[in-house]
Amino acid sequence: MSRRSGILEFAVLGLLRESPMHGYELRKRLNTSLGIFRAFSYGTLYPCLKTLVANGWLIEEPGSAPEDALAASLAGRRAKIVYRLTAEGKEHFEELLSHTGPDAWEDEHFAARFAFFGQTEREVRMRVLEGRRSRLEERLEKMRASLARTRERLDDYTLELQRHGMESVEREVRWLNELIESERAGRDQRRPDPGSPAEREGTSGEADGLPRHRDATSSGGTPPGHPGPPDPSADTTK
């Protein structure tokens, strides 16, 4: 299984853990909620779904509305199939959520992992964030060294492009620093007493990880107003 198909399977399992969906709805959520999948097509999604069904992680069910199925049949079209996560699929997804190795720090995989941080244990979130920061700091050091070596041989536009790439990575490192500090503060903060205003308002110890001025999305993804982790693709020194 390729790394990219593994990311897609992870994202599909995560979305179906929230609720059953049919293929069109799944593709829409992948495109809108997880922007890294904008280029994915039905030709990529359905083989992935078939693989997950074959592995016993999903089951296929007919659409919930009988009249819709009847109308589709009369029109010569197949009724929509709804995909539901099985108990084995949920267990497998939770196992994937616990992984904190180098794959979780890479650009696309990190974006998918971050989108499901709302379903991830705090300690795992911390390890993924710290690993991602370490990876970007290494990348930034290489970019700076490369720029120092080649600065005199670059024209103004190429030089500006490399500076832009460095600034993008530096922004993400600052963003990660903020998230990590907020996670640490949330971990160390004592849970409010039952009946306190914070407790009555539904404040959760798990939710304390996000910075106070940010709101998590419903899927635990990138906070509103933040376009997601800056795209490191501008790194032209690779």
Side-chain angles (χ1 to χ4, degrees), residues 107-123:
D107 298 341
E108 290 186 342
H109 206 156
F110 172 76
R113 288 298 303 270
F114 189 82
F116 295 100
F117 262 21
Q119 303 180 40
T120 306
E121 294 292 334
R122 187 190 301 277
E123 294 303 318

Side-chain angles (χ1 to χ4, degrees), residues 157-194:
Y157 294 102
T158 304
L159 184 61
E160 190 61 32
L161 182 62
Q162 295 215 4
R163 286 173 176 164
H164 173 70
M166 288 177 54
E167 289 172 359
S168 296
V169 178
E170 288 169 345
R171 281 196 302 271
E172 186 173 351
V173 170
R174 291 194 296 268
W175 177 66
L176 289 167
N177 285 336
E178 182 180 350
L179 288 172
I180 289 169
E181 289 306 311
S182 296
E183 290 284 352
R184 287 174 177 162
R187 179 184 60 191
D188 297 336
Q189 184 180 34
R190 296 179 57 186
R191 186 179 296 274
D193 295 331

Side-chain angles (χ1 to χ4, degrees), residues 44-101:
T44 303
L45 176 59
Y46 281 106
C48 171
L49 291 170
K50 294 298 182 184
T51 297
L52 296 176
V53 170
N55 288 339
W57 298 330
L58 302 181
I59 57 173
E60 298 177 328
E61 299 177 338
S64 58
E67 61 274 15
D68 291 345
L70 177 60
S73 177
L74 292 175
R77 294 182 286 107
R78 293 178 56 188
K80 290 180 179 178
I81 295 175
V82 173
Y83 295 90
R84 182 184 298 274
L85 197 66
T86 64
E88 292 80 6
K90 181 179 179 182
E91 182 179 348
H92 179 62
F93 179 69
E94 290 173 349
E95 180 183 349
L96 294 177
L97 277 180
S98 68
H99 291 176
T100 59

Side-chain angles (χ1 to χ4, degrees), residues 196-217:
S196 67
E199 187 70 15
R200 287 197 301 269
E201 291 171 5
T203 301
S204 165
E206 287 301 309
D208 285 339
L210 285 171
R212 292 299 181 185
H213 63 279
R214 302 181 188 270
D215 295 317
T217 62

